Amino acid sequence: QVQLVESGGGLVQAGGSLRLSCAASGSIFSISTMGWYRQAPGKQRELVAGITSGDSINYADSVEGRFTISRDNAKNTVALQMNSLKPEDTAVYYCNARLRTRWGRPLVDYWGQGTQVTVSS
């Protein structure tokens, strides 16, 4: 079993900051990519930021320059520092890890339970 546990969501005013954290635990052999997705009401889930085991990073255009993703490979954690938040950043944020549970097994996506981020205007 693999678990992803998120923390750090909440309510903040526009222009404020929040930091999301996610820890992966359980039967993990190796993690390829970790990232954050978000889903606003009535919209599809979208990638916010992703980071590979080699620290290659990509961001959604809408958050580039405001959000920073980081990862600790030794602890299997990923964080998302969100600055200059806007009302349109309001969504449920999900942690994702693409990993193998054993050597030779295929990569499988695992998800956290989601954490609400609400930005008031």
CSV table of all heavy atoms in Angstrom, one decimal, residues 57-104:
chain,number,residue,atom,x,y,z
A,57,ILE,N,11.9,20.4,-13.8
A,57,ILE,CA,10.7,21.0,-13.3
A,57,ILE,C,9.9,21.6,-14.5
A,57,ILE,O,10.5,22.1,-15.4
A,57,ILE,CB,11.0,22.1,-12.3
A,57,ILE,CG1,11.6,21.5,-11.0
A,57,ILE,CG2,9.7,22.9,-12.0
A,57,ILE,CD1,12.1,22.5,-10.0
A,58,ASN,N,8.6,21.5,-14.4
A,58,ASN,CA,7.7,22.2,-15.3
A,58,ASN,C,6.5,22.8,-14.6
A,58,ASN,O,6.1,22.2,-13.6
A,58,ASN,CB,7.2,21.3,-16.5
A,58,ASN,CG,6.3,20.2,-16.0
A,58,ASN,OD1,6.7,19.3,-15.3
A,58,ASN,ND2,5.1,20.3,-16.5
A,59,TYR,N,6.1,23.9,-15.0
A,59,TYR,CA,5.0,24.6,-14.4
A,59,TYR,C,3.9,24.9,-15.4
A,59,TYR,O,4.2,25.2,-16.6
A,59,TYR,CB,5.5,26.0,-13.8
A,59,TYR,CG,6.4,25.9,-12.7
A,59,TYR,CD1,7.8,26.1,-12.8
A,59,TYR,CD2,5.9,25.6,-11.4
A,59,TYR,CE1,8.6,26.1,-11.8
A,59,TYR,CE2,6.8,25.6,-10.3
A,59,TYR,CZ,8.2,25.8,-10.5
A,59,TYR,OH,9.0,25.7,-9.5
A,60,ALA,N,2.7,25.0,-15.0
A,60,ALA,CA,1.6,25.6,-15.8
A,60,ALA,C,1.9,27.0,-16.1
A,60,ALA,O,2.4,27.7,-15.2
A,60,ALA,CB,0.3,25.4,-15.1
A,61,ASP,N,1.6,27.5,-17.2
A,61,ASP,CA,1.8,28.9,-17.6
A,61,ASP,C,1.2,29.8,-16.6
A,61,ASP,O,1.7,30.9,-16.2
A,61,ASP,CB,1.3,29.2,-19.0
A,61,ASP,CG,2.1,28.5,-20.1
A,61,ASP,OD1,3.2,28.1,-19.8
A,61,ASP,OD2,1.6,28.5,-21.2
A,62,SER,N,0.0,29.5,-16.0
A,62,SER,CA,-0.7,30.3,-15.2
A,62,SER,C,-0.1,30.6,-13.8
A,62,SER,O,-0.4,31.5,-13.1
A,62,SER,CB,-2.1,29.8,-14.9
A,62,SER,OG,-2.1,28.5,-14.4
A,63,VAL,N,0.9,29.7,-13.4
A,63,VAL,CA,1.5,29.8,-12.1
A,63,VAL,C,3.0,30.1,-12.2
A,63,VAL,O,3.7,30.3,-11.2
A,63,VAL,CB,1.3,28.5,-11.3
A,63,VAL,CG1,-0.2,28.2,-11.2
A,63,VAL,CG2,2.1,27.4,-11.8
A,64,GLU,N,3.6,30.1,-13.4
A,64,GLU,CA,5.0,30.3,-13.6
A,64,GLU,C,5.4,31.7,-13.0
A,64,GLU,O,4.7,32.7,-13.2
A,64,GLU,CB,5.3,30.4,-15.1
A,64,GLU,CG,6.8,30.6,-15.5
A,64,GLU,CD,7.5,29.2,-15.5
A,64,GLU,OE1,7.1,28.3,-16.1
A,64,GLU,OE2,8.6,29.2,-14.8
A,65,GLY,N,6.5,31.6,-12.2
A,65,GLY,CA,6.9,32.8,-11.6
A,65,GLY,C,6.3,33.1,-10.2
A,65,GLY,O,6.8,34.0,-9.4
A,66,ARG,N,5.2,32.4,-9.9
A,66,ARG,CA,4.5,32.7,-8.6
A,66,ARG,C,4.6,31.4,-7.7
A,66,ARG,O,4.7,31.6,-6.5
A,66,ARG,CB,3.0,33.0,-8.8
A,66,ARG,CG,2.8,34.2,-9.7
A,66,ARG,CD,1.3,34.5,-9.7
A,66,ARG,NE,0.5,33.5,-10.3
A,66,ARG,CZ,-0.5,32.9,-9.7
A,66,ARG,NH1,-0.8,33.1,-8.5
A,66,ARG,NH2,-1.2,31.9,-10.4
A,67,PHE,N,4.6,30.3,-8.3
A,67,PHE,CA,4.7,29.0,-7.5
A,67,PHE,C,6.1,28.4,-7.7
A,67,PHE,O,6.7,28.5,-8.7
A,67,PHE,CB,3.7,28.0,-8.0
A,67,PHE,CG,2.2,28.4,-7.7
A,67,PHE,CD1,1.9,29.6,-7.2
A,67,PHE,CD2,1.2,27.5,-8.0
A,67,PHE,CE1,0.6,30.0,-7.0
A,67,PHE,CE2,-0.1,27.8,-7.7
A,67,PHE,CZ,-0.4,29.0,-7.2
A,68,THR,N,6.5,27.7,-6.6
A,68,THR,CA,7.8,27.0,-6.7
A,68,THR,C,7.6,25.6,-6.1
A,68,THR,O,7.1,25.4,-5.0
A,68,THR,CB,8.9,27.7,-5.9
A,68,THR,OG1,9.0,29.0,-6.4
A,68,THR,CG2,10.2,27.0,-5.9
A,69,ILE,N,8.0,24.6,-6.9
A,69,ILE,CA,7.9,23.2,-6.4
A,69,ILE,C,9.3,22.7,-6.0
A,69,ILE,O,10.3,23.1,-6.6
A,69,ILE,CB,7.3,22.3,-7.6
A,69,ILE,CG1,7.0,20.9,-7.0
A,69,ILE,CG2,8.3,22.2,-8.7
A,69,ILE,CD1,6.2,20.0,-8.0
A,70,SER,N,9.3,21.9,-5.0
A,70,SER,CA,10.6,21.4,-4.5
A,70,SER,C,10.3,19.9,-4.0
A,70,SER,O,9.2,19.6,-3.7
A,70,SER,CB,11.2,22.2,-3.4
A,70,SER,OG,10.3,22.3,-2.3
A,71,ARG,N,11.4,19.2,-3.9
A,71,ARG,CA,11.3,17.8,-3.6
A,71,ARG,C,12.5,17.3,-2.8
A,71,ARG,O,13.6,17.8,-3.0
A,71,ARG,CB,11.2,17.0,-4.9
A,71,ARG,CG,11.3,15.5,-4.8
A,71,ARG,CD,11.1,14.9,-6.2
A,71,ARG,NE,11.2,13.5,-6.2
A,71,ARG,CZ,11.0,12.7,-7.2
A,71,ARG,NH1,10.5,13.2,-8.4
A,71,ARG,NH2,11.1,11.4,-7.1
A,72,ASP,N,12.2,16.4,-1.8
A,72,ASP,CA,13.3,15.8,-1.1
A,72,ASP,C,13.2,14.3,-1.4
A,72,ASP,O,12.3,13.6,-0.9
A,72,ASP,CB,13.0,16.0,0.4
A,72,ASP,CG,14.2,15.5,1.3
A,72,ASP,OD1,14.8,14.5,0.9
A,72,ASP,OD2,14.4,16.1,2.3
A,73,ASN,N,14.1,13.8,-2.2
A,73,ASN,CA,14.1,12.4,-2.6
A,73,ASN,C,14.3,11.5,-1.5
A,73,ASN,O,13.7,10.4,-1.4
A,73,ASN,CB,15.1,12.2,-3.7
A,73,ASN,CG,14.7,12.9,-5.0
A,73,ASN,OD1,13.6,13.0,-5.4
A,73,ASN,ND2,15.7,13.3,-5.8
A,74,ALA,N,15.1,11.9,-0.5
A,74,ALA,CA,15.4,11.0,0.6
A,74,ALA,C,14.2,10.7,1.5
A,74,ALA,O,14.0,9.7,2.1
A,74,ALA,CB,16.6,11.5,1.4
A,75,LYS,N,13.3,11.7,1.6
A,75,LYS,CA,12.2,11.7,2.4
A,75,LYS,C,10.9,11.4,1.7
A,75,LYS,O,9.8,11.3,2.3
A,75,LYS,CB,12.0,13.0,3.2
A,75,LYS,CG,13.1,13.2,4.2
A,75,LYS,CD,12.9,14.5,4.9
A,75,LYS,CE,14.1,14.8,5.9
A,75,LYS,NZ,13.9,16.1,6.6
A,76,ASN,N,11.0,11.3,0.3
A,76,ASN,CA,9.8,11.1,-0.5
A,76,ASN,C,8.7,12.2,-0.3
A,76,ASN,O,7.5,11.9,-0.1
A,76,ASN,CB,9.2,9.7,-0.3
A,76,ASN,CG,10.0,8.6,-0.8
A,76,ASN,OD1,10.9,8.8,-1.7
A,76,ASN,ND2,9.9,7.4,-0.3
A,77,THR,N,9.2,13.4,-0.2
A,77,THR,CA,8.2,14.5,0.0
A,77,THR,C,8.3,15.5,-1.2
A,77,THR,O,9.4,15.6,-1.9
A,77,THR,CB,8.5,15.2,1.3
A,77,THR,OG1,9.9,15.8,1.3
A,77,THR,CG2,8.3,14.3,2.5
A,78,VAL,N,7.2,16.2,-1.4
A,78,VAL,CA,7.2,17.3,-2.4
A,78,VAL,C,6.4,18.4,-1.8
A,78,VAL,O,5.5,18.2,-1.0
A,78,VAL,CB,6.6,16.8,-3.7
A,78,VAL,CG1,5.1,16.4,-3.5
A,78,VAL,CG2,6.7,17.9,-4.8
A,79,ALA,N,6.9,19.6,-2.1
A,79,ALA,CA,6.2,20.8,-1.5
A,79,ALA,C,5.9,21.8,-2.7
A,79,ALA,O,6.6,21.8,-3.7
A,79,ALA,CB,7.1,21.5,-0.5
A,80,LEU,N,4.9,22.6,-2.4
A,80,LEU,CA,4.6,23.7,-3.4
A,80,LEU,C,4.4,25.0,-2.7
A,80,LEU,O,3.5,25.1,-1.8
A,80,LEU,CB,3.3,23.3,-4.1
A,80,LEU,CG,2.9,24.3,-5.3
A,80,LEU,CD1,3.8,24.2,-6.4
A,80,LEU,CD2,1.4,24.0,-5.7
A,81,GLN,N,5.3,25.9,-2.9
A,81,GLN,CA,5.2,27.2,-2.3
A,81,GLN,C,4.5,28.1,-3.3
A,81,GLN,O,4.9,28.3,-4.5
A,81,GLN,CB,6.6,27.8,-2.1
A,81,GLN,CG,6.6,29.2,-1.6
A,81,GLN,CD,6.1,29.3,-0.2
A,81,GLN,OE1,6.3,28.5,0.7
A,81,GLN,NE2,5.3,30.4,0.1
A,82,MET,N,3.4,28.7,-2.8
A,82,MET,CA,2.5,29.5,-3.7
A,82,MET,C,2.5,30.9,-3.2
A,82,MET,O,2.0,31.2,-2.0
A,82,MET,CB,1.1,28.9,-3.6
A,82,MET,CG,1.0,27.4,-4.0
A,82,MET,SD,-0.7,26.8,-4.1
A,82,MET,CE,-1.2,26.9,-2.4
A,83,ASN,N,3.0,31.8,-4.0
A,83,ASN,CA,3.0,33.2,-3.7
A,83,ASN,C,2.1,34.0,-4.6
A,83,ASN,O,1.8,33.5,-5.7
A,83,ASN,CB,4.5,33.7,-3.8
A,83,ASN,CG,5.4,33.0,-2.8
A,83,ASN,OD1,5.0,32.7,-1.7
A,83,ASN,ND2,6.7,32.9,-3.2
A,84,SER,N,1.8,35.2,-4.2
A,84,SER,CA,1.0,36.1,-5.1
A,84,SER,C,-0.3,35.4,-5.5
A,84,SER,O,-0.6,35.4,-6.7
A,84,SER,CB,1.8,36.6,-6.3
A,84,SER,OG,3.0,37.3,-5.9
A,85,LEU,N,-0.9,34.8,-4.6
A,85,LEU,CA,-2.1,34.0,-5.0
A,85,LEU,C,-3.2,34.9,-5.5
A,85,LEU,O,-3.4,36.0,-5.1
A,85,LEU,CB,-2.6,33.2,-3.7
A,85,LEU,CG,-1.7,32.0,-3.5
A,85,LEU,CD1,-1.9,31.5,-2.0
A,85,LEU,CD2,-2.1,30.8,-4.4
A,86,LYS,N,-4.0,34.3,-6.4
A,86,LYS,CA,-5.1,35.0,-7.1
A,86,LYS,C,-6.4,34.2,-6.8
A,86,LYS,O,-6.3,33.0,-6.6
A,86,LYS,CB,-4.8,35.1,-8.6
A,86,LYS,CG,-3.5,35.8,-9.0
A,86,LYS,CD,-3.3,35.7,-10.5
A,86,LYS,CE,-2.0,36.3,-10.9
A,86,LYS,NZ,-1.8,36.3,-12.4
A,87,PRO,N,-7.5,34.9,-6.9
A,87,PRO,CA,-8.8,34.1,-6.7
A,87,PRO,C,-8.9,33.0,-7.7
A,87,PRO,O,-9.5,31.9,-7.3
A,87,PRO,CB,-9.8,35.2,-7.0
A,87,PRO,CG,-9.2,36.5,-6.6
A,87,PRO,CD,-7.7,36.3,-7.0
A,88,GLU,N,-8.4,33.1,-8.9
A,88,GLU,CA,-8.5,32.0,-9.8
A,88,GLU,C,-7.6,30.8,-9.5
A,88,GLU,O,-7.6,29.7,-10.2
A,88,GLU,CB,-8.1,32.5,-11.3
A,88,GLU,CG,-6.8,33.2,-11.4
A,88,GLU,CD,-7.0,34.7,-11.3
A,88,GLU,OE1,-7.8,35.2,-10.5
A,88,GLU,OE2,-6.4,35.4,-12.1
A,89,ASP,N,-6.8,30.9,-8.4
A,89,ASP,CA,-6.0,29.7,-8.0
A,89,ASP,C,-6.9,28.9,-7.0
A,89,ASP,O,-6.4,27.8,-6.6
A,89,ASP,CB,-4.8,30.2,-7.2
A,89,ASP,CG,-3.8,30.9,-8.1
A,89,ASP,OD1,-3.5,30.4,-9.2
A,89,ASP,OD2,-3.2,31.9,-7.7
A,90,THR,N,-8.0,29.3,-6.7
A,90,THR,CA,-8.9,28.6,-5.8
A,90,THR,C,-9.3,27.2,-6.5
A,90,THR,O,-9.7,27.2,-7.6
A,90,THR,CB,-10.2,29.4,-5.6
A,90,THR,OG1,-9.9,30.5,-4.8
A,90,THR,CG2,-11.2,28.5,-4.7
A,91,ALA,N,-9.0,26.2,-5.7
A,91,ALA,CA,-9.2,24.8,-6.2
A,91,ALA,C,-8.9,23.8,-5.1
A,91,ALA,O,-8.3,24.2,-4.1
A,91,ALA,CB,-8.4,24.5,-7.4
A,92,VAL,N,-9.2,22.6,-5.4
A,92,VAL,CA,-8.7,21.5,-4.6
A,92,VAL,C,-7.4,21.0,-5.2
A,92,VAL,O,-7.3,20.8,-6.4
A,92,VAL,CB,-9.7,20.3,-4.5
A,92,VAL,CG1,-9.0,19.1,-3.7
A,92,VAL,CG2,-11.0,20.7,-3.9
A,93,TYR,N,-6.3,21.0,-4.4
A,93,TYR,CA,-5.0,20.7,-4.9
A,93,TYR,C,-4.7,19.2,-4.5
A,93,TYR,O,-4.8,18.8,-3.3
A,93,TYR,CB,-4.0,21.6,-4.3
A,93,TYR,CG,-4.0,23.0,-5.0
A,93,TYR,CD1,-5.1,23.8,-4.8
A,93,TYR,CD2,-2.9,23.4,-5.8
A,93,TYR,CE1,-5.1,25.1,-5.5
A,93,TYR,CE2,-3.0,24.6,-6.5
A,93,TYR,CZ,-4.0,25.4,-6.3
A,93,TYR,OH,-4.1,26.7,-6.9
A,94,TYR,N,-4.2,18.5,-5.5
A,94,TYR,CA,-3.9,17.1,-5.3
A,94,TYR,C,-2.4,16.8,-5.5
A,94,TYR,O,-1.8,17.2,-6.5
A,94,TYR,CB,-4.7,16.2,-6.3
A,94,TYR,CG,-6.2,16.2,-6.1
A,94,TYR,CD1,-6.9,17.2,-6.8
A,94,TYR,CD2,-6.8,15.4,-5.2
A,94,TYR,CE1,-8.3,17.2,-6.6
A,94,TYR,CE2,-8.2,15.4,-5.0
A,94,TYR,CZ,-8.9,16.3,-5.7
A,94,TYR,OH,-10.3,16.4,-5.6
A,95,CYS,N,-1.8,16.1,-4.6
A,95,CYS,CA,-0.5,15.6,-4.8
A,95,CYS,C,-0.5,14.3,-5.6
A,95,CYS,O,-1.4,13.5,-5.5
A,95,CYS,CB,0.1,15.3,-3.4
A,95,CYS,SG,1.8,14.6,-3.4
A,96,ASN,N,0.5,14.2,-6.5
A,96,ASN,CA,0.7,13.0,-7.3
A,96,ASN,C,2.1,12.5,-7.3
A,96,ASN,O,3.0,13.2,-7.2
A,96,ASN,CB,0.3,13.4,-8.8
A,96,ASN,CG,0.7,12.3,-9.8
A,96,ASN,OD1,1.8,12.3,-10.3
A,96,ASN,ND2,-0.2,11.4,-10.0
A,97,ALA,N,2.2,11.2,-7.3
A,97,ALA,CA,3.5,10.5,-7.4
A,97,ALA,C,3.4,9.4,-8.3
A,97,ALA,O,2.4,8.5,-8.3
A,97,ALA,CB,3.9,10.0,-6.0
A,98,ARG,N,4.3,9.3,-9.3
A,98,ARG,CA,4.4,8.2,-10.2
A,98,ARG,C,5.5,7.3,-9.8
A,98,ARG,O,6.7,7.8,-9.8
A,98,ARG,CB,4.6,8.8,-11.6
A,98,ARG,CG,4.6,7.7,-12.7
A,98,ARG,CD,4.4,8.3,-14.1
A,98,ARG,NE,3.1,8.9,-14.2
A,98,ARG,CZ,2.7,9.5,-15.3
A,98,ARG,NH1,3.5,9.7,-16.3
A,98,ARG,NH2,1.5,10.0,-15.4
A,99,LEU,N,5.2,6.1,-9.4
A,99,LEU,CA,6.3,5.3,-8.7
A,99,LEU,C,6.1,3.8,-9.0
A,99,LEU,O,5.1,3.4,-9.6
A,99,LEU,CB,6.2,5.6,-7.2
A,99,LEU,CG,4.8,5.2,-6.5
A,99,LEU,CD1,4.8,3.8,-6.1
A,99,LEU,CD2,4.6,6.2,-5.3
A,100,ARG,N,7.2,3.1,-8.6
A,100,ARG,CA,7.2,1.7,-8.7
A,100,ARG,C,7.2,1.1,-7.3
A,100,ARG,O,7.9,1.6,-6.4
A,100,ARG,CB,8.4,1.1,-9.4
A,100,ARG,CG,8.7,1.6,-10.8
A,100,ARG,CD,10.0,1.0,-11.4
A,100,ARG,NE,10.4,1.8,-12.5
A,100,ARG,CZ,10.0,1.6,-13.8
A,100,ARG,NH1,9.1,0.7,-14.0
A,100,ARG,NH2,10.5,2.3,-14.7
A,101,THR,N,6.4,0.1,-7.0
A,101,THR,CA,6.3,-0.5,-5.7
A,101,THR,C,7.4,-1.6,-5.5
A,101,THR,O,7.7,-2.0,-4.4
A,101,THR,CB,4.9,-1.1,-5.4
A,101,THR,OG1,4.6,-2.0,-6.5
A,101,THR,CG2,3.9,0.1,-5.4
A,102,ARG,N,7.8,-2.1,-6.7
A,102,ARG,CA,8.9,-3.1,-6.6
A,102,ARG,C,9.7,-3.0,-7.9
A,102,ARG,O,9.3,-2.5,-8.9
A,102,ARG,CB,8.3,-4.5,-6.5
A,102,ARG,CG,7.6,-4.8,-5.3
A,102,ARG,CD,7.1,-6.3,-5.2
A,102,ARG,NE,8.2,-7.3,-5.2
A,102,ARG,CZ,8.0,-8.6,-5.2
A,102,ARG,NH1,6.8,-9.0,-5.2
A,102,ARG,NH2,9.0,-9.4,-5.2
A,103,TRP,N,11.0,-3.5,-7.9
A,103,TRP,CA,11.8,-3.5,-9.1
A,103,TRP,C,11.1,-4.2,-10.2
A,103,TRP,O,10.6,-5.3,-10.0
A,103,TRP,CB,13.2,-4.1,-8.7
A,103,TRP,CG,14.1,-4.1,-9.9
A,103,TRP,CD1,14.9,-3.1,-10.2
A,103,TRP,CD2,14.3,-5.1,-10.8
A,103,TRP,NE1,15.6,-3.4,-11.4
A,103,TRP,CE2,15.3,-4.6,-11.8
A,103,TRP,CE3,13.8,-6.4,-11.0
A,103,TRP,CZ2,15.7,-5.4,-12.8
A,103,TRP,CZ3,14.2,-7.2,-12.1
A,103,TRP,CH2,15.2,-6.7,-13.0
A,104,GLY,N,11.1,-3.6,-11.4
A,104,GLY,CA,10.5,-4.3,-12.5
A,104,GLY,C,9.1,-4.1,-12.7
A,104,GLY,O,8.5,-4.4,-13.8
